[in-house]
Structure formats: C-alpha cells, structure tokens
Amino acid sequence: MVMTRAWRNGAAAERDFPVERVSDLVAEPDTFVWVDHTDPRPDELADVEEELGVHALAVEDALERGQRPKLDRYRESLFLVVYDVTGRTDTGELVSHEVKAFVTKRALITIHGADVDLSDVEHRLDASADIADHGVPWLMWALLDTVVDHASDVVEDLDQAVSALEDDLFEHGSSSERQIQRRSFVLRKQLGVLRRLVVPTRDSVTSVLHGDAELVVDGIRPYFRDVQDHLVTIADSVEQLRDAVGSVLDTNLGIASNHQNVVMKKVTGWAAIIAIPTAITGFFGQNVKFPGMSQWSGLFLSLGLIVATSLVLYRVFKSKDWL
C-alpha cells in the first residue's frame, strides 16, 4: 500500500497520486512530495530508485529488517532509520516499530511495516502547515518529532513504574521480594531496549544540526534543535531510571539480608531456650517415672508430643515468615 501527498508553494496540492508521477512533481518549482510505503516489494523500491535517484545501497538496507538507528549520507540523498516506541505490553516487552526514510531535496519516502500508523505524523503536518514552506525538512521534522513524543510518553510510563516499584520496596514477605526482583529485571530490560532503539537517534539529529545534512535551513533549525533537546532529556532519563532500578535491586537484596539476619537471631533465641533445659536435664540425668513408662502408650505419647510440638513450632515460624 502506498500513500502519496504533494505540496506546492507551502500549501497542500495533491494526494493519492501514482508513484510514477513523483519525478514529474519534484521537477516542478517549489514542489515537494511525501511517499509512504507499507511493506514495499523490491520492485516498488526499484521504482523509487529510478524516480528519485536513491542510492542502491540505501535501497538494499531498506529491504532488510532490524537495521540499527542511523543516518547515512549519500551524494543526492539521506537514508534515515528510526524506531517508533509506542508503549509496553503486559508481558514486559516494548512495542517498537522500525521506520526507514529516504530524504532528498524534494521528497521524503517512508518505509515501514503494516503495524505502523503514521497518522500522528499527518496530524502534526496539518497542525504545523504554517511552516510547510520549509519543504522536505518540515516532513523530516514531523517524523522525528512524532517518534520523540511517543518515546517521551514511554519514558514517563517507565518513570511511574519505577516509582511504584520504589513504593513497594519495603513490603514484607519473601514473595514480595521475589516480585520486586522480577519487576526490576523487566524494567531494566525495557530501559535497555529503549536506550538501544531511541537514544542513537540523537546522533542523527545532531548530524543534521551540525550541517552534515544541507537540507536543513536556518528557518527550520530551531525545530530540529527542540527534537534534539527532547532526545537528550530521554537519554538522561533512561540512565537515571536504570540507576534507580539498580538501587532498588541492591536495596531489596539488603532488606532480604537484614530480614534473614533477624530470622537467624530469633531462631537462635528459640534454640537457646530449648537447649538450656535440655542441657540441665541431660546433665543431672533426670530419669524419673512418667505416664506410660515401659508401655506402648508411653511410646505413642512421646511420639505424639514430638509431632505436636514440631507442628506448633512450624506454624509459629511459618507465620513469622522464617520458613
């Protein structure tokens, strides 16, 4: 599926036109286009290569999934790879979508899977139509700004999850300790994935701002600088949250160790209470007559006392979470 839009003299001109018309439209003065491909076939990208002169290596990368976030510069175009992270699943996985783009002086060609929805990019374009005269850099900014906004929402969600984890840190019970450890490892994994998928985009935007991409003129430069600031904030937040999760893990282990020490002290106290009478009676050899002595009833009575006292001690220790 292909979506096409064209702007002329800073105003929307056409949409849903055939890809074959792209080369004709970009040849017109003050005209630029956006072509959005969903799961394109190799022959469709070959048409893009022919229509816009995109480098063959960029087309080859566009066909391969799992590219790292990057901005490659060729003679007549740029090749951009970003990841749109939109949320978290119940199983602890981040929902991320790979988006690739060819950037030329007069065209932006985006490539993604069927699970990607770029409607937010269109809404951003419609809301900022007053700066449409900046051309393709305006389209590129809208894509990057949408990705950064989604990532910022995910970072805020992770921040709330870490805060909730810290609030639950001092809950008692071994089951709570295990739950905190599991949640900590899941959060740490999510933060690691977010750092790997989103933070490198900061380098791409920095390359644009420092003149590696001559497409960006001074009028649109502040918008890219705003995107860069958001990416720097995301990178700092991710590192701070990773440190916070690490602190939670260390604190949880410390609490578990302290709790174990308390249990050991209590068990030692019980052992001392039981050991002293045992030592005294054993030392003096208090072999006195008792009910059922030399009878089967005495054996059953002693066995019953052993089982009963053991069960009582087990229940006491279990209720205090010592076992």
Side-chain angles (χ1 to χ4, degrees):
M1 186 175 65
V2 182
M3 185 278 296
T4 55
R5 291 184 66 176
W7 290 262
R8 186 177 296 110
N9 296 319
E14 299 182 44
R15 68 181 305 157
D16 298 330
F17 49 85
V19 177
E20 290 76 14
R21 288 197 56 212
V22 169
S23 57
D24 297 331
L25 288 171
V26 298
E28 298 178 8
D30 298 322
T31 302
F32 60 95
V33 301
W34 175 24
V35 180
D36 182 50
H37 277 285
T38 301
D39 288 330
R41 301 186 305 273
D43 60 316
E44 292 177 324
L45 291 187
D47 292 340
V48 171
E49 181 181 357
E50 181 179 354
E51 289 284 320
L52 298 173
V54 176
H55 200 280
L57 291 178
V59 173
E60 182 180 344
D61 285 346
L63 290 172
E64 295 182 3
R65 293 184 179 271
Q67 294 286 320
R68 63 179 178 85
K70 62 180 180 177
L71 177 67
D72 290 338
R73 180 172 176 80
Y74 297 94
R75 183 182 298 274
E76 300 294 336
S77 63
L78 301 173
F79 178 62
L80 176 69
V81 180
V82 296
Y83 281 85
D84 187 19
V85 182
T86 56
R88 299 189 299 155
T89 65
D90 296 335
T91 59
E93 300 290 335
L94 287 181
V95 181
S96 62
H97 310 284
E98 184 179 8
V99 181
K100 305 164 188 172
F102 302 121
V103 186
T104 69
K105 292 184 178 180
R106 294 291 186 86
L108 174 72
I109 301 93
T110 52
I111 301 166
H112 54 79
D115 57 343
V116 177
D117 182 11
L118 293 185
S119 59
D120 286 346
V121 178
E122 291 197 77
H123 295 158
R124 189 171 262 91
L125 291 174
D126 295 337
S128 60
D130 55 321
I131 59 173
D133 55 344
H134 290 297
V136 172
W138 171 59
L139 299 176
M140 187 178 178
W141 162 79
L143 173 62
L144 290 171
D145 197 45
T146 300
V147 169
V148 170
D149 279 355
H150 291 168
S152 298
D153 293 339
V154 173
V155 169
E156 184 177 352
D157 184 27
L158 290 172
D159 189 10
Q160 294 176 356
V162 172
S163 297
L165 183 66
E166 292 173 341
D167 293 338
D168 296 339
L169 180 60
F170 294 98
E171 294 290 334
H172 299 292
S174 58
S175 59
S176 176
E177 294 170 3
R178 290 191 295 269
Q179 183 72 8
I180 287 176
Q181 288 180 352
R182 188 186 68 82
R183 290 165 58 190
S184 298
F185 281 117
V186 170
L187 285 172
R188 197 171 178 84
K189 178 182 177 182
Q190 292 173 346
L191 289 167
V193 172
L194 187 64
R195 183 176 64 175
R196 178 171 56 85
L197 296 182
V198 177
V199 173
T201 305
R202 175 185 55 183
D203 298 332
S204 300
V205 178
T206 301
S207 176
V208 171
L209 284 172
H210 290 175
D212 184 47
E214 299 174 355
L215 293 170
V216 178
V217 295
D218 290 337
I220 196 76
R221 195 174 298 275
Y223 293 90
F224 279 89
R225 190 173 294 113
D226 178 68
V227 172
Q228 183 191 40
D229 290 341
H230 284 296
L231 285 168
V232 171
T233 301
I234 289 173
D236 292 342
S237 298
V238 167
E239 292 302 322
Q240 291 173 1
L241 291 175
R242 281 174 61 86
D243 291 341
V245 173
S247 297
V248 168
L249 280 170
D250 293 339
T251 304
N252 188 51
L253 291 175
I255 291 174
S257 179
N258 291 336
H259 180 63
Q260 185 178 14
N261 291 336
V262 171
V263 171
M264 289 299 298
K265 288 191 296 184
K266 293 180 178 180
V267 172
T268 303
W270 278 98
I273 293 173
I274 297 173
I276 291 176
T278 303
I280 293 174
T281 55
F283 180 80
F284 286 98
Q286 294 179 359
N287 297 322
V288 297
K289 293 184 178 182
F290 56 87
M293 184 176 180
S294 302
Q295 298 180 9
W296 284 105
S297 59
L299 174 62
F300 295 142
L301 176 60
S302 62
L303 291 176
L305 287 173
I306 292 172
V307 172
T309 53
S310 298
L311 288 176
V312 169
L313 286 175
Y314 174 80
R315 294 191 61 181
V316 170
F317 293 159
K318 191 68 175 179
S319 65
K320 294 181 179 294
D321 199 24
W322 296 355
L323 294 176

